[in-house]
Amino acid sequence: MKVSRQAAALLLSAGAGLLLSGCSSSDERGDSAGPTLPARTVAEGKWQQGPPKPELHTPYPYDLYTHCGVKWVRFGGRWWVLDTVFPGTGQVKGQPPSQDGERLAGYMTLIDANTADFDAAGMPTMQFVPTGKRPATCA
């Protein structure tokens, strides 16, 4: 499988974050048999960020900002921070699309009030938790 440089950097940065945080990288989720979603591509000039008040267990098209790595997301009117990566869950089927250098097209799903999952073709599930902090800007 051919992996883009951006996807490799994303996986490495997520893996390094797990090592530093002590989180497990095994698939501990009980919902790994969830829905299968079609791969998405980035729509030029339009960012997908889900609704202001997402419903539980509903996957929303979401463009993950990857320019500075993946640690923070804005979803449902709140800031979230990367907590855990679950490799191999395969929620999104299809070929990973080539990326535009700043976004990864996928889906964000509110699992419960304090958990949101991001899934994209060819990528592990990235789980986010709410945070009261705002991300620092990157250069």
Side-chain angles (χ1 to χ4, degrees), residues 17-90:
L18 288 175
L19 289 174
L20 292 174
S21 67
C23 296
S24 170
S25 64
S26 64
D27 187 0
E28 297 170 356
R29 296 183 341 160
D31 64 345
S32 61
T36 300
L37 302 165
R40 291 187 53 244
T41 57
V42 170
E44 192 61 39
K46 183 176 181 184
W47 282 80
Q48 294 288 338
Q49 294 186 311
K53 294 185 179 185
E55 294 185 21
L56 290 176
H57 306 290
T58 302
Y60 295 98
Y62 191 89
D63 294 338
L64 188 68
Y65 185 64
T66 61
H67 175 76
C68 299
V70 176
K71 179 161 175 141
W72 308 87
V73 296
R74 181 96 175 143
F75 178 66
R78 301 192 280 176
W79 284 105
W80 302 73
V81 64
L82 181 64
D83 182 62
T84 308
V85 176
F86 298 101
T89 57

Side-chain angles (χ1 to χ4, degrees), residues 37 54-60 75 107-112 115-119:
L37 302 165
E55 294 185 21
L56 290 176
H57 306 290
T58 302
Y60 295 98
F75 178 66
Y107 299 89
M108 189 69 79
T109 305
L110 185 64
I111 304 302
D112 59 39
T115 310
D117 287 358
F118 177 80
D119 293 288

